[in-house]
Every structure is written in C-alpha cells, then in structure tokens.
C-alpha cells in the first residue's frame, strides 16, 4: 500500500488553519496514524485510527477520513507546530509511511 | 515512565554486520508488539520490521528481507535487530517503536541510534 501526501511543503503563519492530505493506494479503513517530527527528534504520535487524538496532544489537531483519503488539520497554527508531518497506514503489515509534509514559517 | 533506549549503532563497512538493541522500561514489554523504523539522513521515515508480543509473528520491509533479523527477549525487556550484508543505503537513524495496540500507531519511540555504512 502506497501513501501520498499533499502538499509536500507548506509555508504558513501563526494562527493559520492548515490542512494536510494523505491518500492511500487502496482502502485502509481507518487504520491511519499521523505523526509530528521535529529536527533531530523521534516522531510523536498525534492521531490514530484516523481521527482519535492521542493523549496529551492539543485539541487544535484533528484528523478525518476513511478508506483512501485522510486529512490532518491544525485549526490555529502555533509556533511549536512548525515541523514535518507523516501519515502511516496500519491496515496491512508493511506499515508504510507517507513521504511527509514540512510545515514552515511564512 | 515508558522508555525505549537504542544502542549498537556505529560505522560499519559495506557487507558488514551490526546488532542493534532496544532496552524497554516502564511498561510490560511482553504485552506489546514492537517495530523498527529508520530514517536516512534528510529523508522520510521507513518502517523496517515488526515483531509480535510473543515473537511468533515477524514481518520485514522488502528492502531488508533476507538481510535483517528482528528478535526480542521478553525476560530481558529487550528488542534486537541483527543487520547483515549492510549496504550504503542502510545508512540511517534506527528507531525502536512500541505499537500501542494492533493498528493504532506507534505511541512510544526511542531516541534513535545512527548506523553509517561506508568504507
């Protein structure tokens, strides 16, 4: 199963609403997770089962979708949110990741 | 507090071998499925291998199948990755990651250990 993400890069300002899309090459039900990674750090789980917020993650993060199309939304971008975001499918073993979306400061 | 600490990375020549370890603490290791994920310098995340809680079920990415072996010792709360026939393209930071529950993502990650394959 291949995952694509769009955009691959986005430039945004503090307070902006940001949406990242992840598309799967075949249906994966809701077996999708989203991660945030900052330079030199391990990834951090934000969302699992497509729309469930991981404990401790701010409520400005939300996820939606099922089947082949998914979105991660940050409702109001904060300075600490500038990072790279990855989706991951867990529907079938060979737990592929998407190529990533880098969110940079405008 | 859940902790995963990788070790064993370093510089190795092409064709060589290396064994990575991941020491787990702060949770019942034997109850969780575990994975290795790698990240080449400046690149994205690549899932490498999965092992079930008992060690009876194992999967590998095509890029490492036949060369890497995942294992675990639940008595020692440890996860391992034996890497043989290493190639330049295996150069990466290797993370061990705990799977929350089947299909629910990787909720804890180690800090990573760097493997460099170069002559």
């Amino acid at each position: 199963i291949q995952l694509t993400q769009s955009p691959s890069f986005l430039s945004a300002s503090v307070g902006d609403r940001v949406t990242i899309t992840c598309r799967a090459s075949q249906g994966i039900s809701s077996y999708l997770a989203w991660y945030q990674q900052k330079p030199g750090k391990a990834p951090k789980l934000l969302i699992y089962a497509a729309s469930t917020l991981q404990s401790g993650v701010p409520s400005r993060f939300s996820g939606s979708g099922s089947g082949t199309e998914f979105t991660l939304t940050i409702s109001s971008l904060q300075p600490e949110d500038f990072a790279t975001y990855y989706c991951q499918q867990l529907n079938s073993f060979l737990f592929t990741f998407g190529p990533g979306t880098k969110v940079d400061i405008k | 507090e859940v902790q995963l600490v990788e070790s064993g990375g370093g510089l190795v020549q092409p064709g060589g071998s290396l064994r990575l370890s991941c020491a787990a603490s702060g949770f019942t290791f034997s109850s969780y499925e575990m994975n290795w994920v790698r990240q080449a310098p400046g690149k994205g995340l690549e899932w490498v291998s999965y092992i079930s809680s008992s060690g009876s079920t194992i999967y590998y990415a095509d890029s490492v199948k036949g060369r890497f072996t995942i294992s675990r010792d639940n008595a020692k709360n440890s996860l391992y990755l034996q890497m043989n026939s290493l190639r330049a393209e295996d150069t990466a930071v290797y993370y061990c990651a705990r799977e929350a529950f089947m299909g629910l993502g990787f909720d804890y990650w180690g800090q990573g250990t760097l493997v460099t394959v170069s002559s």
Side-chain angles (χ1 to χ4, degrees), chain B:
Chain B
E1 178 193 7
V2 171
Q3 280 200 317
L4 298 170
V5 180
E6 302 96 336
S7 60
L11 175 64
V12 61
Q13 292 189 338
S17 298
L18 214 54
R19 189 195 197 205
L20 305 183
S21 298
C22 172
S25 61
F27 65 102
T28 304
F29 180 70
S30 60
S31 296
Y32 287 85
E33 298 154 344
M34 298 295 296
N35 294 264
W36 287 99
V37 176
R38 69 183 180 183
Q39 186 169 37
K43 303 297 184 182
L45 301 171
E46 180 187 14
W47 172 80
V48 172
S49 185
Y50 159 95
I51 187 167
S52 63
S53 57
S54 66
S56 61
T57 302
I58 285 171
Y59 295 98
Y60 298 100
D62 288 345
S63 57
V64 306
K65 197 177 298 182
R67 300 187 299 121
F68 288 14
T69 302
I70 191 172
S71 63
R72 65 191 296 162
D73 185 335
N74 286 341
K76 294 183 177 180
N77 292 335
S78 293
L79 176 72
Y80 305 102
L81 187 68
Q82 177 67 43
M83 305 186 294
N84 298 331
S85 303
L86 283 162
R87 307 165 179 167
E89 54 265 35
D90 295 318
T91 294
V93 173
Y94 285 74
Y95 297 99
C96 63
R98 187 182 87 166
E99 190 168 342
F101 289 101
M102 188 174 288
L104 299 186
F106 298 173
D107 61 349
Y108 284 93
W109 297 62
Q111 84 288 352
T113 187
L114 176 62
V115 172
T116 303
V117 184
S118 174
S119 54

Side-chain angles (χ1 to χ4, degrees), chain A residues 23-97:
Chain A
R23 290 184 174 87
S25 59
Q26 58 187 269
I28 58 171
S29 185
S30 296
Y31 290 103
L32 189 102
W34 289 98
Y35 300 87
Q36 176 193 68
Q37 187 180 34
K38 297 181 179 179
K41 300 294 187 182
K44 173 186 174 183
L45 178 64
L46 299 175
I47 302 279
Y48 62 89
S51 60
T52 303
L53 199 65
Q54 172 71 352
S55 176
V57 174
S59 59
R60 62 180 179 272
F61 291 92
S62 63
S64 64
S66 67
T68 61
E69 187 154 334
F70 303 85
T71 59
L72 172 70
T73 299
I74 309 172
S75 60
S76 178
L77 200 64
Q78 297 302 301
E80 60 268 30
D81 301 337
F82 291 96
T84 301
Y85 294 84
Y86 296 92
C87 58
Q88 181 198 25
Q89 69 83 18
L90 300 109
N91 181 68
S92 64
F93 289 105
L94 305 193
F95 294 140
T96 43
F97 288 90

